[in-house]
Amino acid sequence: AAAARAAGTGFGSAIEIRPPANTATAIDASLNAVACSGHGYCSAGGSYADNAGDTQAMVVSQSRGRWARALEVKLPANAAGDPGAQLTAIACTSAGNCVGVGYYQPKPGNNGDSGFIVTQRRGDWGRAVPAAPLPRGAISSTLSAVACPAPDSCVAAGFVIVKSGFEGLVLAQSRSRWKASILHGPRGEGPELAGIACTKPGDCVTAGYYFPTDLQTFSRPVGYVESRGRWGHVVAVKSPKNLNGDLSGFLGGACAPDGSCLAVGYYDAGPHDYSMAASESGGRWRSATEIGAMPAHASDASIYGVSCASRLCVAVGGYSTTGSNLLAYLVSDVSGRWRDAGGVSLPRNAFSPAGSFLSAVGCDSDGYCAAAGAYDYSVTTDATLTYPMVVTRS
């Protein structure tokens, strides 16, 4: 049944992605990000454990419909021996020309994580550079999202920690130089920005969540709109009416060709989590509503990423049934209606019963999409081992 529902979205079976050559024998890798610039041309990224047991960031490219072997991201020179690195988001302007963002742990003596930016030009990935500029007194930074509405015109989003606490961070690129903007939450701590999307340079939206109190176990969604290069005031987006819990927030965002945008995420409703989405148009955010299109037997569901092409938006995430592992699923929004929730047919080497998830999806303007995540292929006495995967829609 899950395979049939996945087929209804136009996606085929998932395929495994070969991690970098220096991967540990016990492969533990996943993909967190993906973007497509044409039919059969995509780039994805995530993390893996190398043969020393250190967590490294990785990137992988698809060309003419074929996925190459993943490569380790060359981190900044100040990266620690075990950098705990993750590539969290990718945006592409054309085949072989992309920008990725993420975070890593610097060498001892530095506080917290550091965001990084890595650029691909004509198919070759360069060395990552630390996220900069940062506000004076910054203790640490993380980049979680990136959008590139035009070549050499990208915008990345995340958060920075200063003495006063969390603040939202946006880095905008113009002519190879980056400029920082700090976005404040309504109150309390944050925001942590997790999604960003643009209709053109200088006209973007970003969304995430903030902590209304000093307790980081209580969150609520926020959205921002940029117009002509200036970010407007924060909007505390209303959660769905059946919110009944501590956690609610956005984890991804996308804009459609008609200029409307949306943010997706999850919220608590009693003992369960549910997926939600909120739209933005003309500078105004609407209240979030539940994405009800999920498998009938699901007890919990969360959406982690979304991408739009023409009249189609595709969102991805994971769901679970009572007592089950997390399972990957997809939903599609055609003309404002979410539908076709379903699972993903996993590769043959998947462990049974295998857990899986999809973290991100990227679509080109013609509707070719790729979704990226990971699946369980083995369980040891110490951990569940995962293999990176992608599933595509023509």
Side-chain angles (χ1 to χ4, degrees):
R5 285 192 299 273
T9 66
F11 282 84
S13 299
I15 62 171
E16 64 184 57
I17 295 296
R18 292 181 299 163
N22 66 336
T23 298
T25 302
I27 296 171
D28 191 10
S30 63
L31 293 174
N32 307 319
V34 64
C36 297
S37 55
H39 194 285
Y41 291 88
C42 303
S43 290
S47 66
Y48 73 103
D50 66 16
N51 49 26
D54 301 331
T55 302
Q56 305 285 351
M58 67 178 183
V59 288
V60 60
S61 296
Q62 181 196 42
S63 178
R64 297 180 181 177
R66 300 192 63 173
W67 290 92
R69 185 169 205 152
L71 302 172
E72 180 180 325
V73 172
K74 299 175 183 177
L75 295 173
N78 69 336
D82 183 1
Q86 297 270 353
L87 193 143
T88 56
I90 286 180
C92 300
T93 54
S94 60
N97 295 286
C98 306
V99 171
V101 300
Y103 62 89
Y104 68 101
Q105 179 70 47
K107 292 177 180 177
N110 295 273
N111 294 319
D113 293 323
S114 175
F116 72 77
I117 301 169
V118 61
T119 302
Q120 181 193 40
R121 297 188 185 279
R122 298 179 181 178
D124 294 326
W125 289 95
R127 180 176 290 276
V129 298
L134 297 178
R136 185 174 298 178
I139 298 172
S140 68
S141 63
T142 294
L143 293 179
S144 303
V146 64
C148 294
D152 295 319
S153 180
C154 298
V155 57
F159 66 91
V160 64
I161 299 178
V162 293
K163 290 184 179 179
S164 59
F166 287 92
E167 299 281 7
L169 173 67
V170 173
L171 292 175
Q173 178 196 37
S174 178
R175 297 181 181 179
S176 299
R177 300 189 66 177
W178 294 85
K179 179 181 178 181
S181 296
I182 299 301
L183 302 184
H184 304 288
R187 61 185 181 278
E189 296 271 351
E192 294 190 15
L193 301 174
I196 196 163
C198 304
T199 55
K200 62 182 178 180
D203 288 340
C204 304
V205 298
T206 185
Y209 49 92
Y210 75 105
F211 308 104
T213 69
D214 291 336
L215 298 176
Q216 294 179 25
T217 56
F218 182 79
S219 65
R220 290 294 183 263
V222 291
Y224 303 79
V225 177
E226 181 193 34
S227 179
R228 299 180 181 180
R230 298 189 64 177
W231 288 98
H233 296 296
V234 60
V235 175
V237 180
K238 292 183 180 180
S239 299
K241 294 181 179 179
N242 62 334
L243 171 70
N244 181 21
D246 293 336
L247 300 178
S248 179
F250 295 128
L251 301 178
C255 290
D258 65 3
S260 64
C261 302
L262 60 85
V264 298
Y266 74 101
Y267 68 101
D268 288 345
H272 302 295
D273 294 337
Y274 292 105
S275 304
M276 68 177 184
S279 62
E280 179 279 333
S281 181
R284 299 186 63 180
W285 286 96
R286 293 185 177 181
S287 299
T289 57
E290 180 186 344
I291 297 176
M294 65 180 185
H297 58 289
S299 58
D300 293 84
S302 296
I303 290 292
Y304 307 131
V306 63
S307 184
C308 298
S310 187
R311 296 173 56 223
L312 171 75
C313 291
V314 177
V316 299
Y319 76 95
S320 61
T321 60
T322 302
S324 76
N325 295 325
L326 192 67
L327 302 170
Y329 86 121
L330 309 104
V331 294
S332 62
D333 178 356
V334 180
S335 301
R337 183 178 180 182
W338 292 100
R339 61 184 186 182
D340 298 333
V344 173
S345 298
L346 300 179
R348 292 182 179 180
N349 65 337
F351 177 78
S352 180
S356 60
F357 61 88
L358 292 171
S359 295
V361 60
C363 300
D364 72 359
S365 59
D366 293 330
Y368 178 83
C369 303
Y375 65 95
D376 301 339
Y377 76 94
S378 178
V379 175
T380 70
T381 56
D382 298 322
T384 299
L385 301 176
T386 62
Y387 217 106
M389 70 175 182
V390 293
V391 55
T392 58
R393 174 189 186 276
S394 299

